[in-house]
Amino acid sequence: MWYDLAAVGAAACWAWGGILGAGPSRHFGPFTFTRLRLSLMTLLLGSISLATGGWHSMQTANVVPALLSGLTGIFLGDTLYFSAMNRLGPRRSGLLFATHSVFSVLLGMLFLQEKLSLPAFFGSCMVFGGVMLAVAFGRGKQQGKAWEHPAHLKAGVMLGMAAALCQALGTFFAKPAIAGGLEPVTASAIRMGVACVVHYLLLYAGLPLARSRGDFSPRILGQTALNGVVALGLGMTLIMLALQHANVATVGMLSALSPVLILPMLWLVQKQPPPLVAWLGAFVSCAGTALIVLR
């Protein structure tokens, strides 16, 4: 149960991280924003791994899938997600990102021979359906004026779906790394480190998208650092912890709760409660989560 709850905790971290990252992502652009927070968290988690001896768990057999997980789930997944958020806002991008749970279930069943018990299957269906219901109807009449006007809807949808697939691939590759004995904090540091290296290579190669769109003010840098600690540092490490004993399908479904958890957070930030249908979707998702955790 505790490992399932770790996946739910990761969903909460990603939800709050989405709120914290909306402003800085638009200010810097998705590439610079992701590069800055990856730099901070690679140094922080790498230092923790060195101090605690977690690096001793590194072996070729578990480092290689961790590197693949970082490239797909963090470098591609995070960058595409914030690119979608810049066009669609946190609520709509969250709706698309929630489909990563379906991709995770399919990858786990097709390639890792994972199976869901009947309660877990029904719980997963309830989680996914509730997420879709909550986010689809999660906007009040006056909500989201700053975030809910996408400039390029079609591009945003494509970016959101691509981000969901990459997130599922990141979880899929992380499972054999953790199963191979790689310590969770060390796994997170490796995943972020390889993604960070690729971002700097793109910057030094002169890719226009990799350049910052805005200035480096202390306030925006602070928001970026806080997002990194919450979403990457804590959220990603909780996912690694959950994968120690839970399968990819279960972790994927439980971590998909972030679009539901973001609703009360948006209410707190925007002072406008979500409509009743959104709360109904949230209730269905929570009931599904209980079925999975108590299966």
Side-chain angles (χ1 to χ4, degrees):
M1 179 185 296
W2 293 111
Y3 292 96
D4 290 337
L5 293 177
V8 177
C13 291
W14 292 347
W16 187 237
I19 299 291
L20 295 172
S25 177
R26 287 189 174 185
H27 178 83
F28 290 125
F31 278 83
T32 299
F33 171 68
T34 303
R35 184 175 65 249
L36 288 173
R37 65 196 197 121
L38 282 175
S39 300
L40 170 65
M41 296 316 301
T42 299
L43 290 173
L44 179 60
L45 294 180
S47 299
I48 293 174
S49 176
L50 288 173
T52 60
W55 63 275
H56 288 295
S57 65
M58 294 172 58
Q59 300 175 2
T60 302
N62 56 32
V63 168
V64 171
L67 292 173
L68 291 174
S69 175
L71 288 173
T72 54
I74 297 181
F75 169 65
L76 289 175
D78 262 28
T79 306
L80 290 171
Y81 174 68
F82 282 102
S83 297
M85 183 185 290
N86 289 350
R87 292 165 173 80
L88 304 177
R91 187 184 65 87
R92 285 173 173 163
S93 57
L95 174 62
L96 295 169
F97 192 67
T99 60
H100 79 80
S101 59
V102 177
F103 292 129
S104 293
V105 170
L106 292 176
L107 288 170
M109 295 178 70
L110 290 175
F111 298 104
L112 299 178
Q113 289 76 51
E114 294 179 351
K115 295 182 180 179
L116 290 176
S117 65
L118 193 59
F121 173 77
F122 282 115
S124 298
C125 292
M126 291 173 68
V127 168
F128 184 72
V131 166
M132 292 298 177
L133 185 64
V135 183
F137 295 95
R139 181 177 183 267
K141 292 181 180 180
Q142 304 299 324
Q143 242 184 336
K145 292 182 178 178
W147 291 334
E148 296 280 329
H149 299 283
H152 302 96
L153 181 62
K154 186 179 294 186
V157 170
M158 293 177 65
L159 288 167
M161 292 296 292
L165 177 59
C166 289
Q167 171 62 30
L169 286 170
T171 306
F172 171 76
F173 286 123
K175 178 63 177 180
I178 294 298
L182 191 60
E183 191 268 331
V185 173
T186 304
S188 294
I190 292 172
R191 296 174 75 229
M192 293 178 203
V194 66
C196 189
V197 167
V198 176
H199 270 287
Y200 277 105
L201 289 175
L202 293 177
L203 177 63
Y204 293 139
L207 182 71
L209 287 174
R211 298 170 186 164
S212 177
R213 298 176 185 172
D215 61 326
F216 295 85
S217 67
R219 185 178 67 86
I220 296 295
L221 286 173
Q223 292 176 358
T224 301
L226 184 57
N227 171 274
V229 171
V230 173
L232 285 180
L234 186 56
M236 292 297 184
T237 301
L238 284 172
I239 284 292
M240 296 299 101
L241 185 64
L243 285 171
Q244 283 187 321
H245 291 275
N247 58 36
V248 171
T250 300
V251 171
M253 274 296 172
L254 292 176
S255 62
L257 282 170
S258 53
V260 169
L261 298 176
I262 205 174
L263 292 176
M265 298 176 187
L266 285 173
W267 181 7
L268 179 66
V269 171
Q270 299 178 337
K271 311 301 182 184
Q272 179 72 25
L276 183 61
V277 180
W279 289 119
L280 176 61
F283 174 79
V284 172
S285 293
C286 290
T289 301
L291 275 179
I292 296 174
V293 173
L294 301 174
R295 64 190 183 278

